[in-house]
Amino acid sequence: MDVTEEVVRNIAELVQLKVDDADIQQLTEGMQNILALADQMQAINTEGVEPVSNPLDASQKLRPDAVTEENQRELFQSIAPATESGLYLVPRVVE
Amino acid sequence: MSGEWEVVIGLEIHVQLSTISKIFSGSSATFGAEPNTQASALDLALPGVLPVVNEAIYPKAIAFGLGIGANIGARSCFDRKNYFYPDLPKGYQITQMDEPIVLGGEVEITLADGTAKTIRVTRAHLEEDAGKSLHEDFHGMTGIDLNRAGTPLLEIVSEPDMRSAEEAVSYAKTIHQLVTYLSVSDGDMSQGSLRCDANVSLRKKGADAYGTRTETKNVNSFRFLEAAIKYEVVRQTEVLESGGKITQETRLYDPDKDETRPMRSKETATDYRYFPEPDLLPVIIDDAFIAKVRDSMPELPAQKRARFHTEMGLTDEDSRVLSSELGLATYFEDCVNICSDPIMAANWVKGDLLGGLNRDNIEISDSPVTAQAMAAIIVRIQDGTISGKIAKNVFNAVWEGKTDSVDDYIQSEGLVQVSGSHELEPIVDRIIANNPKQAEQFRSGKTKVLGFFVGQVMKETAGKANPKQVNDLIISKLND
C-alpha cells in the first residue's frame, strides 16, 4: 500500500488526532518506512505456517464472575477536565 | 405499497449477558446505578490497565449456540474494532471478528397463520457494550456515563431471511424467548438488555440480487421494531418508484414521530481497522466443556411446547401460550405436578391467572397466587370440596391477600360445597313447593325452566351447592 499524504490525513481524522501541516511530510515518510519493513517480511514464504497472533503458547486465564471493583468515581473525576451530576463532560457530539 | 417489491430483512440483535460483573473488569454490571459509580480504571481506559475475561460469558454464549444448533468455535479470540466516540474511551471496542464463538444455526419462527419458517443465523459473537452519551444540554457539552461500558454482549446476526416486519418481530421474539429460557440474558428490553439493528432492503419480486439496504440502529422494543421496518419499507418503495436510489446508510428510529432518519453521516467513510486484540490470548473451548454446558441446559421452548401438546394433551394454542415464557411454563408445570390435571391447570393459568397478572401489571414471579395455591384450589375442585364458581372466589381472596392458605379459607368462610343429598333435598323440596307454577311448566315440557330452579338452589346455598348434583336432584324430584 502506498502511504500518501492523503492516507496520513485520513488516518489522523479516523483517530481524531490534530496533525499540523508542517508534520505531514515527516509522518508520511515514517509510515512509508514502517510499511517497507512489513513488505520485506512479506517476502518470507509462510506457506503452511499457522498465523501467530500471540507469542505465548498459552490459553487465556479467566476471571470468576464477581464484583471486585469499588466505586472510585470521586478519585477518577478529580483529574477530569469537566464533570457534572456524576457525568464526564466532553465537547458536544450528536449523531 | 405496490405488489412488485419483495422486502428483505436481516437483524442484528445485541443481547446483554446476565453476568454479575463486566466482561473485562470486576465492575458491577447492574443496571441503573448512579452515573460512573460502576466504571473502574479499566472501563475508563486509564493507562496501564489490562482486560481479564469473565469466565461466565462462555457457558452463556455456548448455551445459545447449542440452542440454535450452531457450531461452537474451538478457539475463541477477540479483535479490536477501532472507532472514535467519547462513550468508548479506549478508542476501540473489543469484539470478535474472525473467530466468533457461535457459527451458523437456525431458529424456527411461527407466523400469524400458524405456519413455521426457518430463519438462519449467520453467527453470534461476544463483545463489550459502550457507555452512554447524554446529549441533554450540559452547557453545550455532552455527558458521558460509563457504567454500561464493558457490559458483556452477544451480538446475534441473522441471514437476510425475513420478508416482512411481522416475520422480523416474530424472529426477535423467538430469540428473546430463547435467551431468557437459557438464562443467557434477563431480556429486559426497558433496560436495553436486547436491542435490534434492522437491515432492510427491497428488490423486484423474483430478483436474485439484493437491493441497497439501510440499517436502522438500536431499536429497543418489538413494537418499535415493527414500526421502524414498516416505515422503511414505505419510504424505500416511494424512493424506488419515483426513480430514485436508496443510499446505504445508518438510520435511527424516532418513536415520537414514528419515522426513521439518517444519522449524520461522517465525512470520512468508516474504517474499523480490525486487528487481533494483543492484550488477550485465545480461549480454547474443548468438547468436554461444551458437553458440560449442554448437560446443564434446560428444556428449550420448542421442546416444551411440543411436550405440552403431545404428553399433556393441551391444544396447540394453549401449549404455545404456556411455553412462551420460562416463568409461566415453570408455574404451570409446578401446578400440574401437584394437581395432576394439565387441562384444568391450563385453563386456570391461562384464564384467571394471566388475566389477573395483565390487569394488575404483575410479573408471574410476583404472582400473589403461587403455583402451590393454584394447585390447591384445583385439588379442592377435583375432590368436590368446592364448586368451580366458589373456586373463583377463593382465587380472588388469595389474590387480594385475604388469606395465604386455600384450605383454611375454604373452612373459615364456610365455602365447602353442599353435596350430600340429605342437605340438598329439603332445600330442593321447599323451592319446588314454593314455585308450583314453574314446576307445572317443567312437567308440561318447558324444560328450560330447570335453570330457574337451579338458580334458586344456588342462591339459597350461597353458591356452595354442587351444580351437577342440584341439576340431577331437581329433575328427579320434578319427574316424581
Side-chain angles (χ1 to χ4, degrees):
Chain A
M1 168 181 182
D2 273 350
V3 181
T4 60
E5 291 192 1
E6 201 48 45
V7 169
V8 174
R9 285 183 204 280
N10 183 37
I11 291 170
E13 194 176 336
L14 284 171
V15 295
Q16 305 277 303
L17 284 178
K18 187 178 174 212
V19 178
D20 287 338
D21 284 348
D23 297 330
I24 288 285
Q25 202 198 337
Q26 196 202 338
L27 279 168
T28 308
E29 280 169 21
M31 286 172 70
Q32 281 168 345
N33 289 339
I34 293 168
L35 287 196
L37 187 65
D39 281 341
Q40 213 177 319
M41 290 192 282
Q42 292 279 26
I44 301 165
N45 182 3
T46 56
E47 212 179 299
V49 181
E50 283 267 310
V52 175
S53 60
N54 205 294
L56 303 173
D57 184 22
S59 116
Q60 180 67 38
K61 260 197 88 162
L62 303 175
R63 170 177 68 76
D65 183 20
V67 175
T68 53
E69 293 285 346
E70 292 168 6
N71 173 21
Q72 297 187 77
R73 183 173 79 178
E74 211 171 311
L75 173 68
F76 295 142
Q77 296 203 332
S78 67
I79 53 165
T83 60
E84 189 178 315
S85 313
L87 300 165
Y88 293 91
L89 298 189
V90 299
R92 193 165 173 77
V93 275
V94 175
E95 288 281 3
Chain B
M1 172 189 167
S2 88
E4 62 177 313
W5 299 102
E6 181 179 48
V7 180
V8 176
I9 304 162
L11 291 187
E12 291 164 24
I13 300 182
H14 289 87
V15 173
Q16 280 185 354
L17 303 181
S18 52
T19 55
I20 296 160
S21 63
K22 292 186 179 177
I23 184 168
F24 301 124
S25 82
S27 301
S28 169
T30 314
F31 176 86
E34 282 293 303
N36 292 309
T37 54
Q38 293 174 177
S40 66
L42 185 123
D43 308 317
L44 264 55
L46 295 185
V49 294
L50 282 173
V52 188
V53 184
N54 182 344
E55 64 183 9
I57 61 172
Y58 292 102
K60 289 181 187 291
I62 292 168
F64 173 78
L66 296 174
I68 61 166
N71 289 318
I72 308 300
R75 243 166 63 103
S76 181
C77 298
F78 284 104
D79 299 284
R80 285 188 185 181
K81 176 181 179 178
N82 299 279
Y83 67 92
F84 183 87
Y85 208 73
D87 57 26
L88 184 79
K90 293 195 299 303
Y92 56 86
Q93 179 192 33
I94 304 180
T95 179
Q96 297 190 301
M97 180 63 183
D98 293 328
E99 293 174 274
I101 186 149
V102 172
L103 262 172
E106 57 188 42
V107 169
E108 193 176 281
I109 63 169
T110 307
L111 306 180
D113 64 2
T115 57
K117 178 173 176 174
T118 299
I119 308 296
R120 292 167 299 157
V121 171
T122 317
R123 56 183 280 163
H125 57 262
L126 291 160
E127 61 185 29
E128 58 179 336
D129 210 341
K132 265 187 190 151
S133 300
L134 302 156
H135 302 296
E136 296 95 79
D137 197 20
F138 293 100
H139 330 290
M141 299 181 86
T142 293
I144 303 292
D145 177 7
L146 295 170
N147 281 351
R148 197 180 66 181
T151 301
L153 296 177
L154 187 67
E155 178 177 339
I156 304 158
V157 183
S158 84
E159 291 288 307
D161 284 351
M162 289 151 274
R163 295 291 172 267
S164 68
E166 290 79 9
E167 285 185 21
V169 169
S170 177
Y171 166 77
K173 283 185 173 169
T174 307
I175 293 287
H176 180 267
Q177 183 187 50
L178 192 60
V179 296
T180 49
Y181 253 79
L182 295 173
S183 304
V184 169
S185 172
D186 64 24
D188 190 335
M189 296 179 76
S190 68
Q191 299 182 354
S193 291
L194 192 145
R195 285 136 39 202
C196 302
D197 299 345
N199 290 296
V200 178
S201 66
L202 300 185
R203 65 178 169 188
K204 282 265 163 72
K205 281 233 160 97
D208 283 336
Y210 293 123
T212 306
R213 66 186 159 86
T214 61
E215 180 179 16
T216 303
K217 270 197 169 315
N218 259 327
V219 187
N220 61 3
S221 87
F222 296 130
R223 194 159 56 86
F224 293 164
L225 179 64
E226 181 163 355
I229 293 172
K230 285 188 163 161
Y231 179 88
E232 264 308 282
V233 170
V234 170
R235 188 188 68 84
Q236 291 189 18
T237 306
E238 283 169 8
V239 170
L240 292 170
E241 292 195 343
S242 63
K245 277 195 173 140
I246 303 297
T247 315
Q248 182 167 348
E249 64 188 353
T250 306
R251 301 176 71 90
L252 280 179
Y253 176 69
D254 179 345
D256 295 329
K257 294 184 178 156
D258 187 25
E259 63 176 26
T260 68
R261 281 196 303 271
M263 289 168 73
R264 197 183 66 182
S265 67
K266 297 166 190 125
E267 298 88 54
T268 340
T270 326
D271 176 356
Y272 292 127
R273 294 152 290 139
Y274 284 95
F275 63 88
E277 166 57 79
D279 288 343
L280 291 169
L281 292 164
V283 171
I284 307 301
I285 295 168
D286 59 23
D287 291 346
F289 187 74
I290 295 173
K292 214 175 107 191
V293 174
R294 183 178 274 118
D295 290 344
S296 68
M297 281 167 65
E299 188 179 32
L300 298 175
Q303 296 164 346
K304 225 181 242 304
R305 179 178 169 180
R307 186 167 55 81
F308 284 179
H309 183 55
T310 53
E311 286 178 27
M312 294 193 178
L314 303 192
T315 64
D316 228 2
E317 172 65 10
D318 285 0
S319 307
R320 188 187 61 75
V321 171
L322 293 170
S323 64
S324 62
E325 281 175 49
L326 184 58
L328 182 63
T330 307
Y331 185 104
F332 168 69
E333 288 191 89
D334 286 349
C335 194
V336 171
N337 284 340
I338 302 170
C339 76
S340 314
D341 187 339
I343 306 287
M344 201 188 280
N347 287 336
W348 275 92
V349 172
K350 254 192 67 183
D352 294 72
L353 181 83
L354 277 186
L357 293 175
N358 285 337
R359 182 191 63 227
D360 295 351
N361 200 17
I362 300 175
E363 294 292 323
I364 184 116
S365 51
D366 300 327
S367 170
V369 178
T370 61
Q372 289 69 28
M374 184 81 260
I377 294 172
I378 293 169
V379 166
R380 290 296 166 245
I381 302 172
Q382 288 168 329
D383 67 14
T385 307
I386 53 174
S387 64
K389 187 164 172 287
I390 291 292
K392 290 199 189 277
N393 298 342
V394 176
F395 177 89
N396 289 333
V398 180
W399 187 275
E400 288 157 14
K402 287 182 188 155
T403 179
D404 46 18
S405 164
V406 168
D407 283 344
D408 287 355
Y409 188 76
I410 291 171
Q411 294 303 330
S412 67
E413 297 294 306
L415 299 176
V416 175
Q417 182 159 253
V418 181
S419 56
S421 52
H422 61 282
E423 286 178 68
L424 284 175
E425 266 193 55
I427 300 171
V428 171
D429 285 342
R430 192 168 66 244
I431 286 171
I432 291 175
N434 289 344
N435 296 284
K437 210 174 93 192
Q438 284 83 353
E440 197 41 54
Q441 285 175 345
F442 182 88
R443 291 194 188 99
S444 67
K446 289 191 178 147
T447 50
K448 266 188 183 167
V449 80
L450 177 64
F452 164 78
F453 284 107
V454 175
Q456 291 296 309
V457 175
M458 295 311 272
K459 200 168 148 195
E460 189 92 351
T461 58
K464 289 182 289 180
N466 178 328
K468 187 179 178 310
Q469 207 168 6
V470 171
N471 240 13
D472 295 348
L473 199 56
I474 293 171
I475 292 172
S476 79
K477 290 273 181 191
L478 286 172
N479 286 335
D480 262 355

